[in-house]
Amino acid sequence: MSLLLPDFGLLFWMILSFGFVFGILAKFGFPVITKMVNERRDYIQQSLAKADEANRTLENIKLKSGELIEEAQKRQAEIIRQATAHAARIMQKAEEEAAAAGKQKLDEAIRLIDVQKQKAIGEIRLQIAALSVDIAEKILRRRLDDTENHDRLITQFLDEIEDSDILKN
């Protein structure tokens, strides 16, 4: 018996046991293994298909979100434009109201000044009338015969009027 060449009996039993184990594996083991390999292959294919679909969905979501962002930016710009226009209208209206109120106050002040002016003119006329009456009274009291005394007296009365508080106010 040589170490490199097996004996015929040993070879027979090895082939027989190999055939028996191969038959059992072929009958019971290989179908289970191939079934598991096929299930695993199907699972991987399904996972790849789902990943592909998820990528497409994600891409669609990105596109939609981009569109939504663009739409939101447009709406934001429109709202800002409208708010700016509204603020400008409010400011213009406030300026117009302030101008009208200022004009009304100015007209009221002018009217009050005119009233005060007329009142002052009336008071001055009354004082001038009173002074005229006083001058006439003094002139009549003195009974002047000559015009020189008369002129001197009028000048004196006018100087007194200038010095009095009536014309200074």
Side-chain angles (χ1 to χ4, degrees):
M1 173 154 55
S2 113
L3 289 174
L4 292 175
L5 293 173
D7 196 18
F8 180 71
L10 181 64
L11 190 59
F12 172 76
W13 288 111
M14 282 177 57
I15 289 174
L16 185 65
S17 49
F18 177 76
F20 178 69
V21 169
F22 185 77
I24 290 175
L25 282 176
K27 176 105 173 137
F28 299 109
F30 289 146
V32 172
I33 291 172
T34 54
K35 180 182 172 191
M36 290 179 73
V37 167
N38 287 337
E39 286 176 358
R40 180 72 177 156
R41 186 188 70 231
D42 292 341
Y43 176 75
I44 290 172
Q45 286 177 347
Q46 287 175 355
S47 295
L48 288 174
K50 286 180 183 179
D52 231 8
E53 186 178 333
N55 282 338
R56 282 192 302 269
T57 304
L58 182 62
E59 190 63 34
N60 286 338
I61 289 172
K62 282 182 182 179
L63 289 174
K64 286 180 182 178
S65 67
E67 291 171 359
L68 287 175
I69 289 172
E70 185 177 318
E71 180 67 27
Q73 287 174 343
K74 287 179 183 177
R75 290 177 74 193
Q76 178 187 15
E78 178 64 23
I79 289 170
I80 288 173
R81 186 191 62 76
Q82 287 176 353
T84 304
H86 185 66
R89 285 192 303 269
I90 288 173
M91 287 177 55
Q92 184 179 3
K93 183 179 178 183
E95 287 174 358
E96 290 171 357
E97 289 175 358
K103 186 178 183 322
Q104 183 181 6
K105 287 195 183 272
L106 181 63
D107 290 344
E108 181 67 22
I110 290 172
R111 189 185 63 77
L112 286 175
I113 289 171
D114 285 342
V115 168
Q116 292 294 329
K117 178 181 165 186
Q118 293 301 325
K119 186 177 175 182
I121 289 173
E123 288 177 9
I124 289 174
R125 284 185 180 170
L126 287 176
Q127 289 176 0
I128 288 174
L131 286 175
S132 297
V133 169
D134 285 344
I135 290 172
E137 182 182 332
K138 287 182 182 181
I139 289 174
L140 289 176
R141 280 188 200 161
R142 294 231 177 159
R143 291 186 188 180
L144 298 175
D145 293 335
D146 62 347
T147 57
E148 183 179 308
N149 283 337
H150 183 64
D151 288 340
R152 186 179 50 77
L153 186 59
I154 290 175
T155 306
Q156 179 185 356
F157 287 145
L158 288 176
D159 289 341
E160 286 178 7
I161 291 172
E162 285 179 6
D163 293 339
S164 71
D165 290 337
I166 294 173
L167 290 180
K168 289 183 181 179
N169 289 336

